[in-house]
């Protein structure tokens, strides 16, 4: 898997689809992207493609400088017990990142977690979004809307119709999530 890009060139027209540079698209699998508010910092998942016993995935970031992307760096969320940190979604001001993981302390299967950017620029320990969002089944693919309060994700729980369903929840002023609604 690789990441490709296209840009609008007018009403209902798009440029040719091209792969991002080789610094981003490697011999591994890359996918699931999220941009900061200025579309300058790209967050994405890179997985080892099952070249070992377990599929290991990490979140990386790269910055757009003109027409090129910088060398990707690992997004260091201090949780060394997981080989799966994937599906990043960054909020508009770049201070919260939501992601999928199987970290200890989860509710079962894959859960959605968040980390907050600290004043020193480092990321906080991840916190599980809890039982309002996570179930004993798998939750994946978080996406925080541009409004900063509409939160989308996929779930095998929450009155799923079978397999993964797309859900959304609204985040209140205190950071609490409403009961998910199956779209």
């Amino acid at each position: 898997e690789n990441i490709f890009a296209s840009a609008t060139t007018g009403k209902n027209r798009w440029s040719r689809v091209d792969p991002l540079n080789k610094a981003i698209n490697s011999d591994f699998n890359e996918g699931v992207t999220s941009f900061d508010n200025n579309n300058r910092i790209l967050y994405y998942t890179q997985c080892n493609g099952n070249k070992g016993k377990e599929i290991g995935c990490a979140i990386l970031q790269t910055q757009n400088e003109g027409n090129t992307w910088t060398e990707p760096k690992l997004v260091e969320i201090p949780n060394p017990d997981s080989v799966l940190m994937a599906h990043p979604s960054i909020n508009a001001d770049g201070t919260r990142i939501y992601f999928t993981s199987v970290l200890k302390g989860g509710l079962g299967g894959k859960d959605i977690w968040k980390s907050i950017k600290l004043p020193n620029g480092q990321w906080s320990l991840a916190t599980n979004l809890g039982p309002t969002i996570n179930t004993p089944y798998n939750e994946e693919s978080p996406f925080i809307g541009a409004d900063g309060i509409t939160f989308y994700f996929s779930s095998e729980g929450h009155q799923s119709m079978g397999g993964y369903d797309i859900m959304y929840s609204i985040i209140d002023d205190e950071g609490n999530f409403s009961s998910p609604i199956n779209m």
Side-chain angles (χ1 to χ4, degrees), residues 3-183:
I3 301 170
F4 290 76
S6 178
T8 59
T9 60
K11 187 176 181 180
N12 297 323
R13 295 191 172 271
W14 291 86
S15 67
R16 188 177 91 190
V17 176
D18 289 314
L20 297 184
N21 67 28
K22 295 230 183 259
I24 296 170
N25 288 327
S26 69
D27 291 337
F28 299 115
N29 292 322
E30 291 80 26
V32 185
T33 61
S34 181
F35 287 92
D36 73 338
N37 195 35
N38 297 319
N39 290 327
R40 292 196 60 230
I41 301 175
L42 168 69
Y43 295 83
Y44 67 99
T45 301
Q46 184 179 73
C47 298
N48 69 6
N50 203 19
K51 293 181 180 175
K53 287 186 175 183
E54 296 183 80
I55 295 178
C57 295
I59 299 170
L60 286 88
Q61 74 176 50
T62 180
Q63 187 164 333
N64 188 330
E65 293 182 350
N67 291 330
T68 63
W69 293 96
T70 61
E71 188 69 28
K73 297 185 307 185
L74 181 67
V75 175
E76 295 187 36
I77 300 170
N79 291 302
D81 65 336
S82 179
V83 296
L84 172 68
M85 294 181 82
H87 310 145
S89 182
I90 192 87
N91 70 330
D93 67 6
T95 59
R96 284 178 289 147
I97 190 168
Y98 299 91
F99 60 94
T100 302
S101 189
V102 291
L103 293 168
K104 289 181 184 172
L107 299 180
K110 297 173 190 167
D111 282 351
I112 299 175
W113 300 73
K114 85 172 178 185
S115 181
I116 297 171
K117 190 167 270 191
L118 301 171
N120 66 4
Q122 302 296 312
W123 290 100
S124 70
L125 284 171
T127 56
N128 188 289
L129 294 189
T132 301
I133 299 298
N134 294 309
T135 70
Y137 303 98
N138 290 318
E139 279 71 41
E140 295 189 69
S141 304
F143 179 81
I144 185 70
D147 63 5
I149 63 169
T150 307
F151 185 77
Y152 302 90
F153 64 102
S154 60
S155 175
E156 291 180 323
H158 298 293
Q159 301 88 37
S160 168
M161 294 172 20
Y164 284 102
D165 286 6
I166 300 172
M167 309 285 174
Y168 77 94
S169 174
I170 303 299
I171 306 170
D172 69 18
D173 292 340
E174 285 80 45
N176 300 308
F177 290 81
S178 67
S179 294
I181 296 171
N182 190 323
M183 293 181 68

